Amino acid sequence: MDESETVAAAPKADPIADFVDKLSAALDAGDTEQVKVLASGLRTPDLADVIELLADDERVQLIETLGNDLDYEVFSQLDEAVRDQLSEALPNTLLAKAVTELDTDDAAYLIESLEESDRQEIFDQLSFDDRSALERNFEYEEETAGRLMQSDFVAVAPFWSVGRVIDYMRETDDLPDTFSEIFVVDPAFRVLGSVELSRLLRTKRQVLVEEIMNPDRHVVLATEDQEEVARQFARYDLMSAPVIDENERLVGVVTIDDVVDVIQEEAEDDMHALGGVGDESIADSVLSTVRSRIPWLMVNLGTAMLSPLVIQNFDATIEQMVALAVMMPVVSAMGGNAGTQTMTVTVRALATNKLGRVNAPRVITREALVGVVNGLVLSSIMALVAFLWFGSGLLGGVIAAAMIVNLLVAALAGILIPLTLSWLKFDPAPSSGVFVTTLTDVVGFFAFLGLASLWLS
Amino acid sequence: MDESETVAAAPKADPIADFVDKLSAALDAGDTEQVKVLASGLRTPDLADVIELLADDERVQLIETLGNDLDYEVFSQLDEAVRDQLSEALPNTLLAKAVTELDTDDAAYLIESLEESDRQEIFDQLSFDDRSALERNFEYEEETAGRLMQSDFVAVAPFWSVGRVIDYMRETDDLPDTFSEIFVVDPAFRVLGSVELSRLLRTKRQVLVEEIMNPDRHVVLATEDQEEVARQFARYDLMSAPVIDENERLVGVVTIDDVVDVIQEEAEDDMHALGGVGDESIADSVLSTVRSRIPWLMVNLGTAMLSPLVIQNFDATIEQMVALAVMMPVVSAMGGNAGTQTMTVTVRALATNKLGRVNAPRVITREALVGVVNGLVLSSIMALVAFLWFGSGLLGGVIAAAMIVNLLVAALAGILIPLTLSWLKFDPAPSSGVFVTTLTDVVGFFAFLGLASLWLS
């Protein structure tokens, strides 16, 4: 309630480290009591952090030591790589217990990476209700609304009165823990509308729900991609949305807290893609990290070979003036930096739907102008430096001209390459970078060495 | 309700472009009727998109043409650069009307970029209640919980019965539009707990709120940074959190829909920072874009000059074997790519608190191993290429050795530089890249040319 709680809720790096040290020591010593005392002081998301920080075998040991004291919610808070490691290492009976306790979406995440036979063994230990709810989630692909949704919700008929709805909710045990709206459905379970609880609470008991329901609802198809679902939540400020199957039957509800996780994941995916890495986590093994990064480096090795192909054409010029070899990395590096700036802004604008056919010409013109202005400023400095360094006005002039050309090319490449990729229906985030830097390298070397050879000949 | 609505909610690029063309034409022709008809078919977030796609003067013209038909909510959905442009261009009377209609947090965003005198003129046109609510938000800095919060909320005493709370809400007009929980406060307005509406609805009328309230609340200080608030929401799956001032008085509530915007902004900021751009938008002018990007390019120009300093030491070696100048960009480029991969993962892990003192040694070891494995694979390929291309086993050996060294350095730099920056309390996102690529350039050139000169001498 007071400031100390706020602080405790966001522990700084060091207290966590000290805590993990103590916990590791207790695990090593086999001191079950001490482990339980330590863990009981943590809130579930903090326990998840601690588990992620432990070594692989310590994680399993901790969870088995805690036994029934473990809050199974912790599995829903773990990083995917850690969760998968644990679900493979832990006994199926423990997983079955966890699945029973968790919401259907979190339960599905926990066992989705298991072998079919293990998953079947867990299903066999579930109650009929839990099992069918979970099987419903597994009917849909990973990363769809159907996998993200909760199968528990409150649905009522339009002719019910507010009083009857409230009484029904008071008397029914099997309701979701918390929810912010109820749904109004027809006999075929098609969504007619929804009523927010705040509205329900402020309405007199005899009013019928159809009179107060909001019919203008965003429905989400169970097969829809979770990224698209997240985009609609952010765009229309939704708190929850009903999920329907192909027959328009209401099958679940997606709530905004699940969507927050998706938004963070998608932002991380885009950021990783721009940096040339795939869907990897800090908890992955060396082998899986190499496997995820080598393909990108191979592609870059291929495109990096274009620079030698260009430079080789000017080997005679370089022999004539070695200062060219000394300065040439500057021209390509500045092109790469400027191109990356434009590309980053463009890729993000495309991901958030801020860039389209209508404003593309305006934005392209702006980027070209920015490229020219930046080129003029930077090339003047560079010309002066080259002149003072090598005492050669020729070198200064050549490097300045090459930089202006390369910064204009960088600006145009930085916007046109992601735009084109996106118009061809490719995701611009993973591949724009390699095209942009290859182009600015090649143009940088060609413009610089080419102009120099013209001048020197 | 059906599939067609889902589709309409996420229009593809082209229909939007066609629509904007039509709207532009109607604006040019001064056809007020047609403009109003077109705009009335749009939901507010879609109207915001359309406004962003229009040229500066068309935006003002559209809003003035719509007049009282405009849903002022649209201002809360606009990109910051566009919103600021409009708030400067639109008459203060229109802004005052918008401020009255909007929630306090959105109203504050709308007028925060205005001159003090304009803001005062708008304040003078507000009712006492609106004005004091807004002044309360302006007491807090931009990007704090106090600026993000809603000043409307329901607070009741602990000894009230559920029935009294429900009656109070039915009778009071001046309540927030929607809310999912109410707060329980003491006479000094300190938060004692909260009750979710779903709980309230399921409890009998005679029960006291103190019996059903949840006392274990996350409170947020009004002065706290919005990024920290967003992190807590994501971490503890909060739907809303009470905001308190320095005297622990409840002053407002932050809800998750505001936090979603913050999460997206922060992810965008990190992504931009990694790409070497600041807080810029696709709608900024040429001048402000140049101003935002030149400083970063200047820093890069400075660090890029380190490469010529290294290379110049080996100009005699290059004169002896020009193939070195031809191949040297490959070594530095591969180091830069590998370093950027590691750095991207590290920066994101730091931003999401996945990397700390406990697991740092393990992750550093992993990255070093990944660097060595990648180096062995790529350098074998490169040695073969160099041998076949130039028929020189020496060149192949030198380039392979330099690449192994540079990929190990890249891996270590990619993790140690952001980690060190973060331990020194600097944000690693904006500056890690320049350090990492400078180091991989310098080490790449030095290792390659240095080894070659040893071999050749």
Side-chain angles (χ1 to χ4, degrees):
Chain A
M1 218 52 43
D2 55 14
E3 201 173 326
S4 68
E5 190 193 295
T6 318
V7 173
K12 297 291 169 286
D14 279 343
I16 282 206
D18 296 340
F19 182 89
V20 173
D21 291 344
K22 262 192 240 165
L23 189 66
S24 286
L27 282 170
D28 284 347
D31 186 346
T32 308
E33 257 333 287
Q34 174 70 353
V35 170
K36 287 190 177 181
V37 168
L38 283 170
S40 67
L42 291 178
R43 295 177 64 166
T44 312
D46 298 317
L47 179 61
D49 276 1
V50 168
I51 291 176
E52 287 175 2
L53 292 173
L54 292 171
D56 286 14
D57 52 337
E58 286 179 324
R59 289 175 191 150
V60 178
Q61 207 187 338
L62 171 63
I63 286 171
E64 295 193 324
T65 307
L66 289 178
N68 287 329
D69 290 357
L70 178 70
D71 176 1
Y72 295 109
E73 281 295 330
V74 78
F75 289 117
S76 67
Q77 311 258 358
L78 289 172
D79 185 85
E80 195 179 336
V82 177
R83 188 169 53 216
D84 290 352
Q85 182 242 322
L86 283 175
S87 67
E88 273 155 40
L90 291 171
N92 286 341
T93 42
L94 192 150
L95 292 176
K97 244 188 273 175
V99 165
T100 311
E101 295 286 322
L102 290 172
D103 289 342
T104 45
D105 49 345
D106 295 325
Y109 289 138
L110 180 58
I111 60 172
E112 70 186 3
S113 72
L114 292 182
E115 305 269 320
E116 187 55 41
S117 61
D118 280 321
R119 204 190 294 166
Q120 206 50 54
E121 206 181 306
I122 291 169
F123 275 176
D124 291 343
Q125 299 177 43
L126 299 180
S127 72
F128 177 78
D129 281 354
D130 282 342
R131 182 181 175 146
S132 40
L134 201 52
E135 282 175 339
R136 181 143 55 158
N137 277 54
F138 272 105
E139 274 173 32
Y140 301 102
E141 298 286 310
E142 284 185 39
E143 314 215 325
T144 60
R147 197 58 84 81
L148 197 65
M149 75 189 180
Q150 253 302 329
S151 314
D152 289 333
F153 50 81
V154 177
V156 301
F159 52 82
W160 281 29
S161 69
V162 167
R164 182 169 171 191
V165 172
I166 293 178
D167 293 342
Y168 164 76
M169 291 198 285
R170 284 204 184 122
E171 286 152 20
T172 313
D173 286 334
D174 189 25
L175 288 182
D177 288 343
T178 62
F179 51 99
S180 62
E181 62 183 351
I182 62 166
F183 298 105
V184 185
V185 292
D186 72 10
F189 243 71
R190 280 193 297 256
V191 184
L192 300 173
S194 66
V195 183
E196 280 168 356
L197 295 190
S198 56
R199 185 81 194 268
L200 203 62
L201 265 167
R202 293 159 70 179
T203 308
K204 300 229 181 314
R205 284 181 64 90
Q206 64 274 23
V207 176
L208 300 186
V209 290
E210 65 186 344
E211 296 173 42
I212 57 166
M213 77 180 184
N214 176 5
D216 181 23
R217 284 253 15 127
H218 252 277
V219 288
V220 170
L221 276 172
T223 50
E224 202 155 354
D225 187 84
Q226 62 176 12
E227 190 172 356
E228 182 52 39
V229 174
R231 203 172 289 146
Q232 290 186 35
F233 265 74
R235 187 176 175 74
Y236 297 104
D237 279 341
L238 305 178
M239 297 296 279
S240 64
V243 180
I244 56 169
D245 65 12
E246 67 280 14
N247 302 318
E248 295 182 24
R249 266 177 63 92
L250 179 64
V251 290
V253 52
V254 173
T255 51
I256 193 169
D257 51 318
D258 301 317
V259 170
V260 167
D261 297 336
V262 173
I263 289 175
Q264 287 193 308
E265 275 170 38
E266 299 294 345
E268 177 156 318
D269 286 350
D270 278 355
M271 210 177 296
H272 276 181
L274 279 174
V277 279
D279 183 15
E280 69 167 67
S281 136
I282 205 98
D284 286 346
S285 71
V286 172
L287 194 67
S288 82
T289 308
V290 169
R291 263 205 301 254
S292 122
R293 294 194 197 162
I294 273 271
W296 171 254
L297 292 174
M298 291 286 195
V299 171
N300 273 279
L301 188 62
T303 59
M305 296 308 295
L306 293 173
S307 296
L309 281 176
V310 171
I311 301 169
Q312 206 184 15
N313 291 311
F314 303 99
D315 53 0
T317 315
I318 293 175
E319 269 181 337
Q320 215 178 325
M321 192 178 187
V322 179
L324 292 174
V326 173
M327 295 309 286
M328 68 184 192
V330 177
V331 180
S332 62
M334 293 314 294
N337 288 322
T340 302
Q341 287 185 327
T342 304
M343 179 192 77
T344 304
V345 174
T346 306
V347 166
R348 181 64 186 168
L350 285 169
T352 51
N353 288 329
K354 299 274 181 208
L355 185 59
R357 202 192 74 193
V358 181
N359 61 347
R362 199 180 333 140
V363 180
I364 293 169
T365 311
R366 183 196 68 162
E367 288 297 336
L369 288 172
V370 170
V372 170
V373 175
N374 284 344
L376 289 172
V377 174
L378 296 169
S379 66
S380 326
I381 301 174
M382 204 52 225
L384 190 67
V385 171
F387 175 72
L388 293 177
W389 190 337
F390 295 95
S392 159
L394 164 69
L395 192 65
V398 167
I399 205 166
M403 275 182 72
I404 295 176
V405 170
N406 206 20
L407 263 74
L408 177 59
V409 169
L412 291 174
I415 186 161
L416 292 177
I417 288 173
L419 261 183
T420 308
L421 285 169
S422 136
W423 282 336
L424 297 174
K425 309 280 172 217
F426 291 108
D427 179 1
S431 41
S432 293
V434 65
F435 287 116
V436 171
T437 52
T438 302
L439 198 69
T440 52
D441 277 355
V442 168
V443 170
F445 292 127
F446 186 78
F448 182 53
L449 298 175
L451 286 172
S453 80
L454 282 180
W455 239 296
L456 286 173
S457 65
Chain B
M1 216 54 44
D2 53 15
E3 201 174 329
S4 67
E5 189 191 297
T6 318
V7 173
K12 297 292 170 287
D14 279 344
I16 282 206
D18 295 340
F19 183 89
V20 172
D21 290 345
K22 263 192 242 165
L23 189 67
S24 286
L27 283 170
D28 284 348
D31 186 347
T32 308
E33 258 333 286
Q34 173 70 351
V35 170
K36 286 189 178 182
V37 168
L38 284 169
S40 67
L42 292 178
R43 295 178 64 168
T44 312
D46 299 318
L47 179 61
D49 275 1
V50 168
I51 290 176
E52 287 175 3
L53 292 173
L54 292 172
D56 287 14
D57 52 337
E58 287 178 323
R59 290 174 190 149
V60 178
Q61 207 188 338
L62 171 63
I63 287 170
E64 295 192 326
T65 306
L66 289 178
N68 286 330
D69 290 357
L70 179 71
D71 176 3
Y72 294 110
E73 281 295 330
V74 79
F75 288 117
S76 67
Q77 311 260 0
L78 288 173
D79 185 84
E80 196 179 334
V82 177
R83 187 169 54 216
D84 290 351
Q85 182 241 322
L86 282 176
S87 67
E88 273 155 42
L90 291 171
N92 286 341
T93 42
L94 192 150
L95 291 177
K97 243 188 272 174
V99 166
T100 312
E101 295 286 323
L102 289 171
D103 288 342
T104 44
D105 49 346
D106 295 325
Y109 289 138
L110 179 58
I111 60 172
E112 71 185 3
S113 71
L114 291 182
E115 305 269 322
E116 187 55 42
S117 61
D118 281 322
R119 204 190 294 165
Q120 207 48 54
E121 206 181 307
I122 290 169
F123 275 175
D124 291 342
Q125 299 177 45
L126 300 180
S127 72
F128 177 78
D129 280 354
D130 282 341
R131 182 182 175 145
S132 40
L134 200 52
E135 282 175 338
R136 180 142 55 157
N137 277 55
F138 273 105
E139 273 173 33
Y140 301 102
E141 297 287 309
E142 285 183 39
E143 314 215 324
T144 61
R147 197 59 82 81
L148 196 64
M149 74 189 181
Q150 253 303 330
S151 315
D152 289 332
F153 51 82
V154 178
V156 301
F159 51 83
W160 281 28
S161 69
V162 167
R164 183 169 170 189
V165 173
I166 292 178
D167 293 342
Y168 165 75
M169 291 198 287
R170 285 206 183 117
E171 285 153 19
T172 313
D173 286 333
D174 190 23
L175 289 182
D177 288 342
T178 62
F179 50 100
S180 62
E181 61 183 351
I182 61 166
F183 298 106
V184 185
V185 292
D186 71 9
F189 242 71
R190 279 194 297 257
V191 183
L192 300 173
S194 66
V195 183
E196 281 169 356
L197 295 190
S198 55
R199 185 80 193 268
L200 203 63
L201 264 168
R202 293 158 70 179
T203 308
K204 301 227 180 316
R205 285 181 63 91
Q206 64 274 23
V207 176
L208 300 185
V209 290
E210 65 185 343
E211 295 172 43
I212 56 166
M213 76 182 185
N214 175 5
D216 180 21
R217 284 255 14 128
H218 252 277
V219 288
V220 170
L221 277 171
T223 49
E224 203 155 353
D225 187 84
Q226 62 176 12
E227 190 172 357
E228 182 51 39
V229 175
R231 202 172 289 144
Q232 290 186 36
F233 266 74
R235 188 176 175 72
Y236 297 104
D237 280 341
L238 305 179
M239 296 295 279
S240 64
V243 180
I244 56 170
D245 65 12
E246 66 280 14
N247 302 318
E248 296 183 23
R249 265 178 63 92
L250 179 64
V251 289
V253 52
V254 173
T255 50
I256 193 169
D257 51 319
D258 301 318
V259 170
V260 167
D261 297 336
V262 174
I263 289 176
Q264 287 192 310
E265 274 169 39
E266 299 294 345
E268 178 156 317
D269 285 352
D270 279 355
M271 212 177 296
H272 276 181
L274 279 174
V277 279
D279 184 15
E280 69 168 66
S281 135
I282 205 100
D284 286 347
S285 70
V286 172
L287 194 67
S288 81
T289 308
V290 169
R291 262 204 301 254
S292 122
R293 294 195 197 162
I294 273 273
W296 172 254
L297 292 174
M298 291 286 196
V299 170
N300 274 278
L301 188 63
T303 58
M305 296 308 296
L306 292 173
S307 296
L309 280 176
V310 171
I311 300 169
Q312 206 184 17
N313 291 310
F314 301 100
D315 52 1
T317 315
I318 292 174
E319 268 181 337
Q320 214 176 326
M321 191 179 188
V322 179
L324 293 173
V326 173
M327 295 309 285
M328 69 184 191
V330 178
V331 180
S332 63
M334 293 315 293
N337 287 322
T340 302
Q341 287 185 326
T342 304
M343 179 192 78
T344 304
V345 174
T346 306
V347 166
R348 180 65 185 168
L350 286 168
T352 51
N353 287 330
K354 299 274 181 209
L355 185 60
R357 201 192 74 194
V358 181
N359 61 346
R362 202 182 329 141
V363 180
I364 293 169
T365 311
R366 185 196 67 162
E367 288 297 338
L369 287 172
V370 169
V372 170
V373 175
N374 285 344
L376 288 172
V377 174
L378 296 169
S379 66
S380 323
I381 300 174
M382 204 52 227
L384 190 67
V385 171
F387 176 71
L388 293 176
W389 190 336
F390 295 95
S392 158
L394 165 69
L395 191 66
V398 166
I399 205 167
M403 276 181 72
I404 294 176
V405 170
N406 206 19
L407 264 73
L408 177 59
V409 169
L412 292 174
I415 186 160
L416 292 177
I417 289 172
L419 261 183
T420 309
L421 287 169
S422 137
W423 283 335
L424 297 175
K425 309 279 172 218
F426 291 107
D427 180 1
S431 40
S432 292
V434 65
F435 287 116
V436 171
T437 52
T438 303
L439 198 68
T440 53
D441 277 355
V442 167
V443 170
F445 292 127
F446 185 77
F448 182 54
L449 298 175
L451 286 172
S453 79
L454 282 179
W455 238 297
L456 286 172
S457 63

